[in-house]
Amino acid sequence: MDVQKCYGFLCTILHSQGLKCPKCQCSVQDSKIHRRDRAPVLIYEVKTGIFITSLQKEVWQGTHLKCPIIIRILQGVAQGVSTLHLSQELVRDRKHLLKCHHKLQNFVNEASIRIPLPDTVSEVDEMYQNAGEKGVKPTDPNDPPRRRGNKTRGHGT
């Protein structure tokens, strides 16, 4: 993936109104670039003397991951890919990715709207229900467990 395009996509997700100073709300276009060593992620020095970067939100603050890897993590979380699979694909530590995954889930839970549904009636589809504990011996000797199908001699051969 193109690093510059991934960075632009992350900026639009994290800063929909543009990157601004958390104190004075001034735009970064009015400030100077402090460091370029992690290009395309730039570190700006705003008028109030604060250093800000586009990856300053709660989830990605202080990360050293490159933009394409962050995009792939976001894509994996959105698609429901397991953390183990992502860690093997990206050659990263599974525990670190799991922490990022949990931070993202908490961020989404906090941002979600929690209002009750206006309807008093709900529709429910199928549900799987376990009909007892498997492997537990029955207590009533007169009521043995059922024999599973095709277990009799000569069937299924």
Side-chain angles (χ1 to χ4, degrees):
M1 290 191 279
D2 183 33
V3 177
Q4 190 65 40
K5 287 183 181 178
C6 290
Y7 177 71
F9 181 71
L10 278 175
C11 287
T12 58
I13 289 174
L14 297 174
H15 308 284
S16 57
Q17 278 81 34
L19 184 59
K20 296 181 180 179
C21 173
K23 279 190 176 179
C24 65
Q25 297 299 318
C26 66
S27 177
V28 292
Q29 280 80 19
D30 305 334
S31 58
K32 68 176 187 171
I33 297 173
H34 177 68
R35 286 179 35 202
R36 299 175 187 261
D37 58 340
R38 285 197 58 212
V41 180
L42 303 175
I43 299 173
Y44 297 95
E45 183 178 6
V46 294
K47 295 175 185 175
T48 57
I50 296 175
F51 300 102
I52 62 171
T53 180
S54 59
L55 299 179
Q56 202 157 331
K57 294 285 183 173
E58 297 94 12
V59 178
W60 306 113
Q61 187 170 0
T63 187
H64 295 286
L65 297 174
K66 297 196 182 311
C67 295
I69 293 177
I70 293 174
I71 294 293
R72 180 61 189 117
I73 291 170
L74 290 173
Q75 183 183 28
V77 170
Q79 291 175 343
V81 177
S82 70
T83 310
L84 178 63
H85 181 76
L86 266 178
S87 67
Q88 290 170 347
E89 178 186 333
L90 299 173
V91 191
R92 299 282 177 215
D93 183 35
R94 186 187 70 83
K95 290 181 182 179
H96 176 70
L97 286 180
L98 189 63
K99 286 180 184 177
C100 290
H101 193 133
H102 288 186
K103 283 182 183 179
L104 285 169
Q105 283 178 332
N106 289 338
F107 187 68
V108 169
N109 284 339
E110 290 172 4
S112 64
I113 300 170
R114 304 242 184 233
I115 57 172
L117 294 175
D119 296 339
T120 57
V121 178
S122 299
E123 181 181 337
V124 179
D125 287 337
E126 300 87 23
M127 180 181 90
Y128 173 77
Q129 184 175 2
N130 189 0
E133 297 295 325
K134 295 181 172 91
V136 177
K137 300 282 183 187
T139 56
D140 187 9
N142 295 331
D143 185 25
R146 72 175 180 86
R147 187 175 176 107
R148 301 213 181 257
N150 284 341
K151 296 290 182 181
T152 57
R153 188 173 177 89
H155 283 264
T157 59

